[in-house]
Amino acid sequence: MGEAVNFKGNKDGIVLLLDLSVEFESLCQMIVQKLWNSRSFLGEHTALIVNSGQTALDSGQQLALKVLLQSLGHEVKYFVPEMAVSKPEEPAHSEKQEAAVSEKQQEPKTEKTIELPAGLGDAIHYLAEGALVVRKNVRSGQNISYDGTLIVFGDVNAGAELVATGHILVLGTLRGVAHAGCRGNKQAIVYANHLNSLQLRIADLIARAPDGESNERHVPEIARIIDNQLVIEEV
Amino acid sequence: MGEVIVVTSGKGGVGKTTTAANIGTGLAAQGKKVVLMDTDIGLRNLDVVMGLENRIVYDIVDIANGHCKLKQGMIKDKRYPDLYLIPAAQTKDKNAVTEDQVRAICNELKQEVDYIIVDCPAGIEQGFKNAIAGADKAIVVTNPEVSAVRDADRIIGLLEANGLGNPQLVLNRVRPNMVRQGDMMSVDDILEILAIKLLGVIPDDDNIVISTNRGEPTVLDQQSRAGQAYRNIVKRILGEDVPLMNLDVEEGFFAKLKKLFKGN
């Protein structure tokens, strides 16, 4: 096959072929790269069938891919082979996501302004033009601002700050402050494998954690704006 | 060629100086040639903890500015012939030396000794920058308190930004009883946040106060539990694989009595 990420068409639609011998994080990066390179071919909001060959992706990986594809303007049709644990996505949910994505696509692309803390240099990868991936824990006092979607593979500790004009995805524990859609995009979302943030901001709305309570439920959650309210719900 | 290890924490009062003194003394007790260097200019303490205050003639500022030779500024310890202290100046401030000067001192010392243990001041300003300038490795000290862990996290980020990735953690003043009751963060809680390698856990021990006041590092006290924890850390620095000590051995009279009747 040569490449770890490939496209193939079948009667159901476009299949994203994944080679799982590659480390999952690198795979995600290749996917983003591939999708960006094939954007004219794919068009917008394409439902992709994800085929991982012989081995099924685990539920965490499937979830990560769903969020990743959504943030890039597409969605997952289904996974091959399927995972017993994973539920098919609720239709209402994905509609909302599509709406979020379409609005984002219409935004005029502005010039990228990136502020990065020193020392994170080699852990950062620019993915095509759309997303910034940080493969490191973001620590107290560090600030990552990005014009676009920000993806962190690692924990974001209390005292750290993530700011993005697009979505923010944390594939780890989010304890610090995250501000998605910082230029007013109310469709932006914040996703974390474990959302335990002291404060979340989307566009001009701010939500803070209840005083003296910590989120002990280790389940992936998404924060988004619904009816001008910042709502956090399980994925 | 020696190794420069900086002991740092961000927050004050978590036990940087105590840790530096004990690790340095412990390494010397293992036959290594060690220099302890205090970079907390204006608030020097390491000399007091080591019981060497009365021997100070020259300090780090004198060495940096060439007022004395490096050898003249190295105070010989009263216990071990191969243990030296370079004290901080008390009448100056952190800007009295530059990062380049500290780096130069470290590089010169590395030719002569096995370990240079640098005691870093609290904070993230010039004093911190000076302390880490010549370091090869870093030890981060913290307490099981949210504020101390927060500062440790900040410091780890700054260390990484300055090329000192993979620092090691010393968790100081742990009280197993409080951890058991859920009133104190556990070792695992802290490691989950900081995500760095654990070098050692020091139980809260009243002996530390006594030994600090006397100028006798606890690491030499065979009865002290904190001393034992520091001896383990020293062995780990020297490459030995020492398991974490069980912090729960402190038993009340009744617990012992119960055990006795149970016949084990």
Side-chain angles (χ1 to χ4, degrees):
Chain A
M1 198 157 68
E3 276 183 274
V5 178
N6 252 314
F7 288 117
K8 204 181 80 181
N10 72 8
K11 59 178 170 28
D12 264 8
I14 299 169
V15 184
L16 188 64
L17 285 170
L18 305 180
D19 176 5
L20 283 193
S21 61
V22 178
E23 195 196 349
F24 185 68
E25 281 179 30
S26 326
L27 207 57
C28 287
Q29 291 183 40
M30 287 181 221
I31 291 169
V32 180
Q33 193 75 50
K34 188 86 181 172
L35 289 182
W36 177 258
N37 290 341
S38 329
R39 60 193 183 282
S40 54
F41 154 70
L42 277 176
E44 284 179 14
H45 332 303
T46 311
L48 295 163
I49 300 152
V50 178
N51 185 329
S52 50
Q54 300 296 316
T55 20
L57 294 159
D58 67 39
S59 58
Q61 290 173 328
Q62 290 199 352
L63 192 64
L65 277 186
K66 271 186 198 170
V67 177
L68 191 72
L69 290 187
Q70 281 173 3
S71 73
L72 293 163
H74 304 290
E75 64 171 308
V76 177
K77 206 167 190 178
Y78 55 82
F79 289 93
V80 187
E82 239 178 281
M83 261 266 306
V85 212
S86 78
K87 291 179 291 182
E89 210 166 317
E90 308 138 42
H93 184 127
S94 53
E95 257 169 47
K96 236 174 261 163
Q97 274 300 325
E98 270 179 46
V101 164
S102 63
E103 181 130 340
K104 194 192 163 237
Q105 297 280 345
Q106 283 154 15
E107 267 178 43
K109 282 277 168 205
T110 44
E111 219 173 279
K112 306 283 169 196
T113 47
I114 306 155
E115 266 177 57
L116 295 175
L120 281 179
D122 48 349
I124 282 173
H125 303 260
Y126 301 95
L127 290 173
E129 314 244 333
L132 175 75
V133 167
V134 180
R135 302 177 67 177
K136 207 166 189 178
N137 291 345
V138 185
R139 296 186 181 276
S140 177
Q142 294 177 330
N143 169 299
I144 300 179
S145 306
Y146 184 65
D147 188 354
T149 290
L150 182 56
I151 305 170
V152 179
F153 285 95
D155 293 347
V156 178
N157 281 353
E161 209 175 46
L162 302 180
V163 181
T165 55
H167 307 294
I168 293 177
L169 315 178
V170 178
L171 300 162
T173 301
L174 173 61
R175 303 183 186 92
V177 174
H179 189 176
C182 64
R183 294 227 190 96
N185 178 6
K186 296 206 173 196
Q187 312 297 330
I189 61 154
V190 176
Y191 164 90
N193 283 353
H194 178 208
L195 192 58
N196 196 8
S197 190
L198 292 172
Q199 201 185 87
L200 278 179
R201 301 175 196 162
I202 297 176
D204 54 354
L205 292 186
I206 298 181
R208 64 169 175 80
D211 283 319
E213 273 177 51
S214 154
N215 179 8
E216 296 303 333
R217 296 186 322 137
H218 288 249
V219 291
E221 290 178 306
I222 284 186
R224 59 159 70 87
I225 297 179
I226 298 174
D227 298 334
N228 221 26
Q229 292 256 336
L230 215 155
V231 178
I232 296 170
E233 48 192 17
E234 264 183 56
V235 179
Chain B
M1 189 79 164
E3 194 170 50
V4 182
I5 304 176
V6 62
V7 180
T8 181
S9 72
K11 190 176 179 296
V14 295
K16 280 181 298 300
T17 303
T18 310
T19 299
N22 279 294
I23 289 178
T25 309
L27 285 167
Q30 295 286 324
K32 297 292 173 187
K33 198 166 181 182
V34 181
V35 173
L36 287 165
M37 187 156 87
D38 190 352
T39 58
D40 199 352
I41 301 170
L43 292 165
R44 74 172 175 215
N45 282 142
L46 191 51
D47 52 319
V48 182
V49 175
M50 292 296 293
L52 299 172
E53 195 178 9
N54 54 359
R55 290 164 168 78
I56 296 176
V57 179
Y58 296 112
D59 55 46
I60 191 168
V61 177
D62 294 318
I63 298 173
N65 295 326
H67 296 155
C68 70
K69 291 197 183 92
L70 181 59
K71 282 268 160 58
Q72 290 176 301
M74 289 162 60
I75 300 169
K76 211 178 175 109
D77 182 66
K78 51 191 176 189
R79 289 147 292 225
Y80 295 101
D82 274 344
L83 178 60
Y84 299 88
L85 169 74
I86 296 180
Q90 186 68 335
T91 54
K92 315 255 175 26
D93 64 29
K94 305 287 190 280
N95 298 315
V97 297
T98 66
E99 291 157 61
D100 287 338
Q101 287 172 328
V102 176
R103 200 175 293 123
I105 295 172
C106 287
N107 286 338
E108 200 177 336
L109 286 169
K110 269 158 94 166
Q111 314 298 325
E112 308 274 331
V113 304
D114 300 317
Y115 289 97
I116 300 112
I117 309 293
V118 182
D119 183 22
C120 176
I124 54 173
E125 294 82 18
Q126 189 58 44
F128 169 74
K129 290 176 190 162
N130 287 341
I132 64 168
D136 303 312
K137 271 190 190 171
I139 292 174
V140 175
V141 184
T142 194
N143 292 162
E145 291 166 29
V146 175
S147 54
V149 172
R150 190 70 49 87
D151 290 0
D153 189 46
R154 176 91 167 101
I155 283 294
I156 295 165
L158 290 172
L159 287 170
E160 282 170 354
N162 286 283
L164 285 167
N166 306 320
Q168 295 190 305
L169 185 72
V170 169
L171 187 55
N172 197 12
R173 305 199 66 173
V174 173
R175 293 165 67 175
N177 286 331
M178 287 185 73
V179 174
R180 219 176 300 120
Q181 288 162 12
D183 295 329
M184 185 177 260
M185 296 166 93
S186 72
V187 178
D188 289 338
D189 291 340
I190 292 163
L191 285 180
E192 194 194 317
I193 294 173
L194 297 180
I196 61 172
K197 197 166 169 255
L198 183 66
L199 182 61
V201 179
I202 318 288
D204 198 26
D205 186 345
D206 292 346
N207 288 319
I208 292 276
V209 180
I210 301 165
S211 68
T212 301
N213 290 343
R214 284 198 191 138
E216 292 286 342
T218 328
V219 71
L220 302 175
D221 179 355
Q222 299 298 326
Q223 311 302 319
S224 157
R225 294 177 43 69
Q228 180 61 48
Y230 277 120
R231 284 194 292 281
N232 289 348
I233 287 177
V234 166
K235 284 183 189 160
R236 288 183 199 118
I237 291 174
L238 293 171
E240 265 183 67
D241 198 8
V242 189
L244 284 178
M245 65 188 232
N246 180 14
L247 298 177
D248 295 335
V249 294
E250 231 171 295
E251 279 181 350
F253 172 71
F254 282 104
K256 277 183 191 156
L257 209 65
K258 241 187 201 168
K259 250 189 180 172
L260 206 67
F261 278 111
K262 273 184 182 166
N264 43 10

